[in-house]
Amino acid sequence: MAIEDLDFVKGFCRMCDDGFAQGWHERNGGNLTYLMSTDEVAAARPGFDEPREWVAMGVEDATLAGRFFLSTGSGKYMRNVMDDPAHNIGIVEINETGSAYRIVWGLLDGAKPTSEFPSHYMNHCVRVAADPTNRVIYHSHTPGVIEMSFIVPLEDRAFSRILWQMMTECVVVFPQGVGVVPWMVPGGSDIAYATSKLMAKFPAAVWAHHGLFVSGPDFDTAFGLAHTIEKAAELYIATRAANGGSDKFLNYITDQDLKDTCRDFHVEINPDFVD
Ligand code: 13P
Ligand code: ZN
């Protein structure tokens, strides 16, 4: 079977398309990576090309050494992935120390994995340590989250509480909350280490004035998490605007409401984020 026809590749392409439809991927904005299972590597291997040269990632973590990832290409547009996977996405193999990758399929005509691959790789390493089922890391330029990062404190607790309070079921979807990375230059090892430090604790991290990173065991869960966080952020912006700009609303979801919801939905709320 052609690599393009494998289920995980089709699911990956669909997620790129879904993110574009949401308006989260202007130009080449955003990127997606997927940790392949042993069975998926075996199914794809007959279609692999001659491996290209090893490229240092600028980060190192042996947790996922020797594993294979499907990744969007740097400078590639999410809106083009579905029509031409082999030019816009590719499979990379990680070396035995977890410090370099090499392309084994796709990314044709000299393309490279996303410039955020160091962040993706480090986030995969810490998320899989937190939850062995984790497979997806997704970065999107979500407008509501970006807007929010200009007007609320860039603190994990403050940001998480606002998101939880904007829509009843948010706290069920991400009861640990979200981490917040202050503004940093994208695309390198510094932002990769800063983000992965937070994603060891949280399933999602906000990049101030830039966008969002989320994780999940499959495409539906990771996309759903981004969608939920972004919707809550957009609700906050719209509610605040409708409220004359003030952040003092007439009605609230209280801390007791959040705790009661988690009790009935059998999830554990981050105790540091509620009073
Ligand atoms: P890439 O095109 O290299 O994936 O970069 C897009 C982006 O969003 C950088 O943060
Ligand atoms: Zn970005």
Side-chain angles (χ1 to χ4, degrees), residues 189-232:
S189 54
D190 288 352
I191 198 166
Y193 282 120
T195 309
S196 63
K197 226 169 119 184
L198 288 173
M199 290 203 54
K201 289 189 281 180
F202 303 106
V206 169
W207 275 7
H209 322 326
H210 184 148
L212 183 63
F213 260 87
V214 296
S215 58
D218 50 51
F219 298 121
D220 276 351
T221 310
F223 190 83
L225 178 56
H227 206 178
T228 306
I229 292 170
E230 170 59 10
K231 184 163 184 181

Side-chain angles (χ1 to χ4, degrees), residues 15 24-25 28-33 72 78 114-116 119-120 123 136-142 146 186 191 205-207 210-215 226:
M15 181 150 160
W24 300 344
H25 299 297
N28 65 310
N31 23 74
L32 175 63
T33 56
T72 50
M78 290 289 194
T114 170
S115 60
E116 305 294 2
S119 281
H120 281 257
N123 288 333
V136 180
I137 298 289
Y138 177 44
H139 168 54
S140 49
H141 290 182
T142 40
I146 298 171
I191 198 166
V206 169
W207 275 7
H210 184 148
L212 183 63
F213 260 87
V214 296
S215 58

Side-chain angles (χ1 to χ4, degrees), residues 54-69 92-102 117-125 189 192-193:
W54 290 106
V55 178
M57 293 191 281
V59 294
E60 183 166 353
D61 191 318
T63 309
L64 295 171
R67 301 292 299 267
F68 291 75
F69 291 91
V92 300
E93 178 183 6
I94 304 298
N95 69 350
E96 60 192 18
T97 57
S99 65
Y101 69 76
R102 64 178 180 180
F117 198 77
S119 281
H120 281 257
Y121 179 69
M122 290 305 300
N123 288 333
H124 275 286
C125 286
S189 54
Y193 282 120

